[in-house]
Amino acid sequence: MMNRRDMLKLAGIATASTVITGCTASTNSAEPTKMATKGGILGSEAPLPKNGTKQRVVVVGGGWSGLSVAKRLKKFIPDLDVVLIEQRAHFVSCPISNLWLVGAVDLEFLTHSYLDAAVNNGYTFFNATVHNVDKKAKIVYTNEGTVNYDYLVLAPGIDYDYEAWTKGDTQLEYELRTKYPAGFKSHSEHQTIKEKVENFESGNFIVTVPGGNYRCLPGPYERACLIAGYFKENGIEGKVIILDENPGITIKKKGFSTAFNELYKDYIVYVPNAKIESFDLKNKKVETEFDEYKFADASFYPRIRANKLIEAIGVAKDAINKGEANIDPFTYQVKGEPYIFCSGDVRPMAFSKSGNTSNSEGHVVARVIANRILGKKDEWVSPHTTCYSAVAVTPKISAISVNADYAWNKTNHAFGFANASTMEEWHGKSGINGGKGLIEWANGMYRDMFM
Ligand SMILES: Cc1cc2nc3c(=O)[nH]c(=O)nc-3n(C[C@H](O)[C@H](O)[C@H](O)COP(=O)(O)OP(=O)(O)OC[C@H]3O[C@@H](n4cnc5c(N)ncnc54)[C@H](O)[C@@H]3O)c2cc1C
C-alpha cells in the first residue's frame, strides 16, 4: 500500500517532470551498479538541454535557507525559472521540536508541505537527492536524474563530525548515531529522543554541548530545561547532566543559569569544560578529563561541519578545512565559481547557526543573485538573528530571547555580533510573553517560507 510519504514523493516528481525540461528521471538511477560514470561524475542519463531562454537558478536543500532563497528569487525576478531540490518529501521543523519533544505542541505545527511552498511561490519542487555537480557543464546530478542550471545555490545544512570523539572508530560512531542520536539534524533523531524521554524511568540522562560554532547555540540548554521540566512534572527520578565542552553557557547565560538553579535545582547538573574523552557504551559510562559519568540514557551531540555535499562537489576550502565552504563572506559566492553560491548553516562565517539567520541570509543571497542577473550593483546587508528559547512549558510556555545583527571586524577579519540585545527574564509575565513571542515567531517564519 502506498503511504503518505510515497504519495508526496510521487507528487513531487510529477510536478517536477512536467515543469523541469532540463531534468530526466532515469529508471535505473536507484541502482548504483547501473549508474553511468561521466567524466568522473556519477550521474544517470545525459542531461536534456534547458528549454527556452529563461535563466534557471537551482537551489539545493529545502531547509530554512533554501526555501527562503527560492521564494525571494521569484519575488525579485518573477520570470526566473527556479528549481528547489530537496531530498525529504516533507518539511519537519527543527526549531520548536524541543517543545514537541515534551508534548507542548503537536507535530502538525512543525510539519509543512513543499508542494504548497512551490505552488504558492511559483517555483518548482524537485524531490531528489543531489550527488554531485558538473561545474563546467552546469549540471546537477541527483538520484532522480539531472538538472541544468545557470546559477546554483547550495543550502544543504550541516553534518555531524564525530571524529574528535571516535578517532576513526566507525563502530562507535555508528552506535552513537543510532542509539544516542544528537537530535540536531533529522526528525527521526527527535522522534528517538522523544521516546527516550517518555520511557525514562530513573537515573542520569546525559546531554552534551559541543565546542566550535555548533548548530543552534541555545538548543542543548533549552532541551535540557524541557526534559528536566518533563521529569519534574511527571515525578520521574531523573537528572539531566549537561556535559558542556565550553567553559560556560554559550548564550543567554543569565536566563539559562537562573532556570537551572531555580526551576531545576534537583533535576539539572551543569558541568562546564566537560569534553568527553572516552565512551564505554556497554557499561553506560563516559569519561571527561576530570570525571566519570554513568548514564541510564543519553543524547550525544558531537561537533559539526558543513554538509559533506560541499566536499563532494569540490567547493570546500581545502583538505584540512573540508568542513568549510570556500565562499566570499560578503557575496556568498564560491571563490573562483561565479555561478555557485552557498547559504545557511553551510557557511563558514561565525554567524549563529540558526533558522532565523539562515532564513534572513536566504533573502540576502537571493538578492545578490538577482542583482547579478539584472546587472545591478549590490551592497552587503547583515543577516539577522532572532532566537527564542523555552525554559519551561508549565503552567505556560516561558521563553527568553536574543536579537542580533553582525558587523565585520577589520582587525581580526571576522564577523561578530552587532546591535545585540537579550531578554533573559523568564519569571512571570516576561517569560510568558516570551513564550507567546516564540510561537508567533515560528508562525511568522513558517509563513515566510511556505506562504
Ligand atoms: C532541536 C533544534 C532546535 C532549534 N531551534 C532553533 C530556534 O529556536 N531558532 C532558530 O532560529 N534556529 C533553531 N535551530 C537551528 C535551525 O534549525 C538551523 O539553523 C536551520 O535549519 C539551518 O537552515 P539550513 O537551511 O542551513 O539547513 P537545514 O534547515 O538543515 O536544511 C538543509 C536541507 O538540505 C537538505 N539536503 C541536504 N543534503 C541534500 C542533498 N544532497 N540533496 C538534497 N537535499 C539535501 C536537507 O534534507 C535539509 O532539508 C534549531 C535546530 C535544532 C536541531
Side-chain angles (χ1 to χ4, degrees):
M1 216 176 92
M2 194 183 277
N3 61 27
R4 181 174 147 79
R5 187 183 160 85
D6 295 334
M7 278 179 67
L8 279 172
K9 191 166 159 69
L10 271 180
I13 292 165
T15 311
S17 54
T18 51
V19 185
I20 305 177
T21 49
C23 176
T24 64
S26 157
T27 48
N28 61 12
S29 60
E31 299 169 70
T33 49
K34 290 190 192 163
M35 272 186 174
T37 304
K38 200 166 168 288
I41 291 168
L42 269 184
S44 49
E45 303 299 316
L48 293 175
K50 224 162 45 75
N51 202 3
T53 51
K54 278 186 186 178
Q55 296 253 21
R56 176 183 285 166
V57 185
V58 171
V59 182
V60 176
W64 285 64
S65 212
L67 281 159
S68 169
V69 176
K71 174 173 172 173
R72 293 294 142 184
L73 279 167
K74 289 295 290 185
K75 295 268 180 255
F76 287 123
I77 309 182
D79 201 29
L80 207 58
D81 173 7
V82 176
V83 180
L84 176 67
I85 308 181
E86 165 58 45
Q87 64 195 0
R88 299 183 294 176
H90 58 281
F91 176 98
V92 187
S93 178
C94 273
I96 311 292
S97 66
N98 283 335
L99 286 175
W100 170 77
L101 209 65
V102 295
V105 297
D106 295 336
L107 190 54
E108 271 68 26
F109 190 62
L110 309 184
T111 311
H112 299 271
S113 159
Y114 281 118
L115 301 183
D116 290 350
V119 169
N120 291 341
N121 295 290
Y123 61 79
T124 301
F125 171 59
F126 187 50
N127 191 193
T129 301
V130 171
H131 296 304
N132 218 327
V133 171
D134 182 338
K135 301 195 281 290
K136 212 163 164 205
K138 294 187 168 178
I139 302 163
V140 176
Y141 288 83
T142 83
N143 65 323
E144 297 288 352
T146 54
V147 187
N148 304 76
Y149 66 86
D150 294 297
Y151 287 86
L152 177 66
V153 181
L154 301 169
I158 59 154
D159 268 318
Y160 296 129
D161 186 355
Y162 282 89
E163 187 56 29
W165 277 345
T166 59
K167 296 171 187 78
D169 181 342
T170 49
Q171 180 60 28
L172 174 60
E173 177 170 337
Y174 176 74
E175 288 195 37
L176 290 173
R177 277 183 187 273
T178 51
K179 293 188 186 154
Y180 304 102
F184 277 86
K185 239 191 119 184
S186 78
H187 184 66
S188 281
E189 298 172 36
H190 300 151
Q191 182 78 48
T192 298
I193 296 170
K194 185 175 171 64
E195 279 158 23
K196 282 174 182 285
V197 171
E198 286 174 352
N199 294 321
F200 197 77
E201 287 175 357
S202 63
N204 292 337
F205 191 108
I206 291 183
V207 298
T208 59
V209 186
N213 188 14
Y214 61 91
R215 170 175 272 186
C216 194
L217 291 182
Y221 308 113
E222 174 186 66
R223 188 177 284 165
C225 284
L226 300 191
I227 295 175
Y230 186 90
F231 290 171
K232 192 175 171 182
E233 214 35 48
N234 292 283
I236 295 167
E237 285 185 19
K239 271 201 186 343
V240 181
I241 312 264
I242 308 173
L243 297 183
D244 193 338
E245 220 179 287
N246 304 286
I249 296 170
T250 54
I251 195 158
K252 302 174 197 165
K253 187 171 181 172
K254 186 167 164 238
F256 282 122
S257 57
T258 51
F260 295 171
N261 293 332
E262 296 174 31
L263 281 174
Y264 306 118
K265 198 166 165 294
D266 298 327
Y267 291 88
I268 288 184
V269 177
Y270 175 71
V271 192
N273 293 311
K275 185 171 176 222
I276 296 179
E277 301 286 347
S278 70
F279 291 85
D280 178 354
L281 297 185
K282 204 163 155 232
N283 296 304
K284 294 197 165 179
K285 285 190 299 198
V286 292
E287 259 181 27
T288 66
E289 197 189 336
F290 307 106
D291 277 302
E292 183 182 278
Y293 298 88
K294 281 186 172 283
F295 60 90
D297 217 333
S299 161
F300 294 113
Y301 183 8
R303 288 187 164 227
I304 60 121
R305 50 160 291 165
N307 190 297
K308 289 186 186 121
L309 187 64
I310 63 145
E311 201 184 339
I313 292 175
V315 299
K317 275 189 182 160
D318 52 44
I320 294 165
N321 301 295
K322 57 190 181 191
E324 294 188 16
N326 188 23
I327 59 174
D328 177 309
F330 296 102
T331 63
Y332 298 86
Q333 186 212 300
V334 171
K335 289 181 183 162
E337 297 289 346
Y339 302 102
I340 306 182
F341 295 76
C342 292
S343 187
D345 281 358
V346 75
R347 78 183 89 73
M349 293 85 90
F351 303 151
S352 151
K353 291 199 188 293
S354 77
N356 202 121
T357 317
S358 297
N359 173 283
S360 72
E361 193 171 69
H363 293 212
V364 177
V365 172
R367 204 209 51 228
V368 171
I369 295 171
N371 281 342
R372 287 267 175 103
I373 292 170
L374 298 171
K376 286 190 187 167
K377 265 189 81 174
D378 200 77
E379 276 184 19
W380 182 79
V381 177
S382 167
H384 180 75
T385 299
T386 292
C387 180
Y388 287 90
S389 306
V391 297
V393 297
T394 49
K396 290 197 165 149
I397 298 171
S398 291
I400 54 181
S401 62
V402 63
N403 262 294
D405 293 325
Y406 299 88
W408 180 251
N409 183 323
K410 284 182 185 155
T411 317
N412 61 8
H413 295 275
F415 285 102
F417 278 137
N419 312 318
S421 64
T422 57
M423 196 295 281
E424 304 196 49
E425 175 52 61
W426 49 265
H427 299 87
K429 213 162 174 220
S430 307
I432 289 169
N433 283 340
K436 283 186 195 148
L438 167 59
I439 299 297
E440 274 166 27
W441 168 83
N443 272 322
M445 285 287 124
Y446 299 146
R447 259 197 313 276
D448 188 88
M449 292 184 281
F450 293 94
M451 300 292 279

